[in-house]
Amino acid sequence: MASGADRISDLPDDVIHHVLSLLPSRDAVRTCALARRWRDLWRSVPAVRVAGDRGWASFDALARFVDSLLRLRRGGAALDACDFDLRFDGAFPGEELQGDTWIRRALRRQVRALRFAVSTHPRVPIPLSDSPLVSHSLTTLELRGVQGNDQVLDFSSCPSLVDLKMKDCYVGGLEMWSPSLKHLSMTYCVFYCDYRTRMDFPSLVTFKFNTNTGRTPLLETMPSLATAAVRLDHFCHDRCANGWYDDCGDAGCKGCHDYYRPDEYDCVFLEGLTEATDLTLLAYSKVYLFNRDLKWCSTFSKLKTLFLNAWFVAPDLSALAWFLQHTPLLERLFLRVSKLLILCVLVSTPRINKTKAVHGSKYVFDGTDIVSLALKGSQFSTYVGVSGAFADLTLRQY
């Protein structure tokens, strides 16, 4: 400015801290050279943002910066957010547990929202040490490209945690547990192929489980659940090698013969979703888990909106009949087969058995497309065939 006045330095500390929190931490630290007023402001910025490895002379330089950044923060300064976004063309170049060290240092700094994302090529998860994550401040946690274990996946030492996202992670544990968690999203994660991971989240409200590999986990009851969206595809190990929709009886079929269900559990997955009011169940046609679970699953007593794709068609629409019979409050039913989306709006008429809408109706099939679906019974006020464009738009939110 013409007058040479430093108007920015006259701003209150909290305003400057907010501005610096929007910058990568490397740039925030560089502001210490602007003036004496700015010398130590970076030490109490409420956000740490580190991206790598571009722009650094070496990984060691990046590691030294991160170590110093976390160590030299002012002790009483609140850390609202800590975001590590580390991308490498090859393997992770640091020490095996270096990422784990940064996570735990951020937790000791009372971070409220922590994101730790690592992307390598080839994709190899970064291991975390075999000890629980401990924080009374952490409310939001996002992990990507890490390998967990039973100790890390026990989130009971994070009593304020309400939001957990995991993507491209190797679960690496037989149990996941949190008494406080309300929102859980797991995408492209790897579970054991010869054991089932037990998941116990009694306070969960929303649940997204999308395209994960290995055995589908065993879900405990979630009494607070409102919305669940599940997509199982050919990466899921709960599928029949012989193309059946239930137990094929072949001892050589790992999917059917080695089901890995504890003796006290008949229904391993769907029972945990029975309290939901909004449910999406999408599956690759050979994944039989939903069909098998329905044999033992209890009533979905609160369900109002249900979205199913092609898995419910085979072998005889019994899955669709089951849902119509065990969802007394169901109002909207979306059925998608291939590019055709059918919306059924149900009128609550308790005296009418909803299964009559399936049994006694006329079905015409051509490959995987439903050409005609005539649903009889006055509990259906309308059904509408919708083009594939709308179907894709509807599914995108899941």
Side-chain angles (χ1 to χ4, degrees), residues 4 9 33 37 54 68 82 102 121 147-148 188 216 222 266 274 320 330 377:
S9 294
R37 167 85 164 81
R54 294 181 181 177
S68 299
C82 189
W102 294 341
H121 183 76
Q147 177 178 330
Y188 303 120
T216 310
M222 296 183 284
D266 291 320
T274 53
L320 179 58
L330 191 63

Side-chain angles (χ1 to χ4, degrees), residues 16 27 41 79 110 146 156 214 249 293 335 338 340 346 354 364 366 380:
I16 296 178
D27 293 334
L41 287 176
L79 185 55
Q110 309 298 313
V146 303
S156 58
D293 265 3
L335 308 175
S338 188
L340 179 64
L346 283 68
K354 292 179 182 177
V364 180
D366 180 11
F380 288 93

Side-chain angles (χ1 to χ4, degrees), residues 149 151 158 196 368 375:
N149 51 67
Q151 295 295 318
C158 298
R196 291 197 188 277
T368 58
L375 298 174

Side-chain angles (χ1 to χ4, degrees), residues 55-371:
W56 298 90
S58 65
F59 179 81
D60 288 340
L62 168 63
R64 288 194 299 271
F65 173 78
V66 174
D67 290 340
S68 299
L69 182 67
L70 296 175
R71 186 181 68 254
L72 297 177
R73 283 187 58 83
R74 283 178 175 163
L79 185 55
D80 293 332
C82 189
D83 187 351
F84 292 95
D85 190 356
L86 309 176
R87 302 171 184 270
F88 305 101
D89 293 333
F92 185 70
E95 297 178 9
E96 189 176 58
L97 293 177
Q98 196 154 24
D100 177 84
T101 300
W102 294 341
I103 289 174
R104 296 175 192 276
R105 284 184 179 175
L107 294 179
R108 288 196 293 271
R109 293 296 183 180
Q110 309 298 313
V111 65
R112 295 181 177 87
L114 172 61
R115 177 176 180 264
F116 187 84
V118 179
S119 177
T120 61
H121 183 76
R123 185 179 300 173
V124 178
I126 305 304
L128 302 181
S129 61
D130 194 9
S131 59
L133 302 178
V134 179
S135 173
H136 288 271
S137 303
L138 187 67
T139 62
T140 302
L141 176 62
E142 181 176 348
L143 298 174
R144 179 171 182 174
V146 303
Q147 177 178 330
N149 51 67
D150 282 320
Q151 295 295 318
V152 169
L153 298 175
D154 179 356
F155 297 101
S156 58
S157 296
C158 298
S160 301
L161 184 64
V162 296
D163 194 339
L164 173 63
K165 295 180 181 178
M166 297 179 67
K167 185 175 182 180
D168 295 328
C169 292
Y170 183 81
V171 175
L174 292 177
E175 291 193 5
M176 295 182 65
W177 150 251
S178 170
S180 60
L181 196 67
K182 295 183 181 298
H183 310 286
L184 173 62
S185 175
M186 302 190 74
T187 305
Y188 303 120
C189 292
V190 179
F191 288 80
Y192 290 125
C193 62
D194 49 1
Y195 297 100
R196 291 197 188 277
T197 299
R198 176 176 168 269
M199 297 174 61
D200 190 0
F201 301 109
S203 300
L204 207 65
V205 177
T206 64
F207 178 50
K208 292 186 178 181
F209 193 82
N210 184 16
T211 319
N212 298 287
T213 302
R215 290 288 177 180
T216 310
L218 191 155
L219 296 185
E220 296 289 352
T221 302
M222 296 183 284
S224 301
L225 188 66
T227 302
V230 179
R231 183 191 295 270
L232 306 178
D233 63 8
H234 58 278
F235 294 109
C236 177
H237 281 55
D238 289 309
R239 58 188 174 89
C240 178
N242 298 312
W244 285 45
Y245 297 94
D246 199 352
D247 190 350
C248 66
D250 182 1
C253 177
K254 294 284 291 183
C256 294
H257 185 67
D258 298 322
Y259 194 53
Y260 301 105
R261 182 191 69 211
D263 293 338
E264 65 271 25
Y265 292 89
D266 291 320
C267 185
V268 301
F269 190 81
L270 288 183
E271 186 68 30
L273 307 179
T274 53
E275 298 296 325
T277 59
D278 190 327
L279 180 62
T280 297
L281 297 176
L282 311 177
Y284 180 67
S285 59
K286 291 184 180 180
V287 177
Y288 57 71
L289 181 77
F290 294 154
N291 300 79
R292 179 174 288 188
D293 265 3
L294 288 178
K295 294 181 179 180
W296 296 283
C297 191
S298 57
T299 297
F300 284 76
S301 59
K302 302 177 183 178
L303 192 64
K304 293 185 178 181
T305 301
L306 176 63
F307 202 133
L308 305 175
N309 73 334
W311 70 269
F312 76 86
V313 172
D316 55 2
L317 293 178
S318 58
L320 179 58
W322 188 96
F323 275 108
L324 292 174
Q325 189 175 22
H326 294 82
T327 52
L329 300 183
L330 191 63
E331 297 174 355
R332 297 194 305 163
L333 174 63
F334 292 87
L335 308 175
R336 187 190 185 194
V337 179
S338 188
K339 296 182 179 180
L340 179 64
L341 178 69
I342 299 176
L343 167 62
C344 304
V345 181
L346 283 68
V347 177
S348 298
T349 311
R351 295 180 181 178
I352 298 178
N353 185 350
K354 292 179 182 177
T355 56
K356 291 181 180 179
V358 174
H359 300 303
S361 299
K362 180 182 179 182
Y363 299 91
V364 180
F365 295 91
D366 180 11
T368 58
D369 292 326
I370 296 182
V371 178

